[in-house]
Amino acid sequence: MDTLIVYCHPYEKSFNHAILTKVTVALTNQKRNYQIIDLYNEGFNPIYDQEELRLFHEGGTHDPLVKKYLALIQTASTVIFITPLWWNSIPAMLKGFIDKVMKEGEGLSHTVSSTGIHGKLNNVKHTYVLTTSTSPKFYLRFFAGNAIKKVFINQTLRQLGMRGRHWLHFGKITNSSYARRKQYLDKIEGYRFK
């Protein structure tokens, strides 16, 4: 598979869904093969139970979606995350996706040694994180700790071995005009994903 989209929003009429639509148009126009993981629509359970946590340390799972999602991410050369930022970070659903799907072990997403985490998702050559928030980007970066860039993109995704990481953000969504939203969506539709 060429491109995997990980979509994390529960509402079909959200701006995030409009972004998802434009991303798929862009990929189709570029004649790219893609698949969508729609975490909410597919009923992904981001919560560990005792058995899932026990199996984690063996690289296992009893959740069929975890197996499916890990197999998809292991075969993608490009991964595109589409998510809102809630309380200055990714939603619990996406955090649960990372927690449960990224399994430790040979042939999985990463290994852990005395020197740290060693990512195994080197197949992912380009990673895009498309976010929205009520806060402007400068506020997220300079006053709210820049968790999305510092932790999720530059640490978590890097530790998993995902390369070519890019962040595209649409801030101040609540008070944005129709014209500004359309301009951003047009930009996404014309964006050249690698």
Side-chain angles (χ1 to χ4, degrees):
M1 181 196 18
D2 184 4
T3 303
L4 179 64
I5 302 168
V6 180
Y7 175 65
C8 182
H9 201 289
Y11 185 47
E12 289 181 353
K13 295 184 180 180
S14 68
F15 191 66
N16 280 264
H17 198 274
I19 292 170
L20 171 64
T21 300
K22 293 299 184 178
V23 167
T24 62
V25 169
L27 294 172
T28 300
N29 289 342
Q30 296 169 32
K31 299 187 182 351
R32 301 275 296 272
N33 296 321
Y34 65 87
Q35 188 155 348
I36 301 169
I37 292 174
D38 186 337
L39 293 171
Y40 284 95
N41 193 44
E42 295 176 24
F44 177 67
N45 179 3
I47 301 169
Y48 271 113
D49 58 31
Q50 288 183 12
E51 181 64 7
E52 184 75 18
L53 189 58
R54 184 187 69 76
L55 291 169
F56 174 84
H57 295 290
E58 302 168 6
T61 181
H62 64 80
D63 185 338
L65 285 178
V66 168
K67 291 177 186 175
K68 174 185 168 186
Y69 295 164
L70 182 56
L72 287 172
I73 209 161
Q74 287 176 312
T75 60
S77 60
T78 298
V79 175
I80 302 170
F81 293 93
I82 302 172
T83 183
L85 297 182
W86 291 341
W87 292 105
N88 309 308
S89 189
I90 60 175
M93 177 66 87
L94 186 53
K95 180 68 168 76
F97 171 84
I98 298 295
D99 288 347
K100 285 179 68 176
V101 175
M102 301 306 141
K103 296 290 185 187
E104 176 186 348
E106 285 301 322
L108 299 173
S109 71
H110 66 283
T111 57
V112 178
S113 73
S114 61
T115 59
I117 295 173
H118 305 282
K120 298 295 183 185
L121 296 177
N122 298 320
N123 54 290
V124 181
K125 295 177 178 33
H126 305 284
T127 311
Y128 299 89
V129 180
L130 282 62
T131 58
T132 60
S133 70
T134 54
S135 301
K137 190 173 186 176
F138 78 85
Y139 179 82
L140 295 170
R141 290 181 68 200
F142 300 113
F143 299 102
N146 204 10
I148 186 72
K149 184 78 171 173
K150 287 182 178 177
V151 178
F152 184 64
I153 296 170
N154 288 349
Q155 293 301 317
T156 304
L157 299 181
R158 180 189 59 79
Q159 285 177 310
L160 290 169
M162 296 182 181
R163 294 175 283 165
R165 297 174 305 279
H166 309 276
W167 179 28
L168 292 94
H169 182 70
F170 187 91
K172 299 197 299 188
I173 186 125
T174 306
N175 299 317
S176 62
S177 66
Y178 172 81
R180 184 168 168 260
R181 291 180 189 210
K182 183 179 183 316
Q183 181 182 25
Y184 184 77
L185 292 175
D186 289 346
K187 173 184 172 182
I188 294 299
E189 184 175 339
Y191 195 85
R192 193 83 184 150
F193 293 98
K194 296 179 181 178

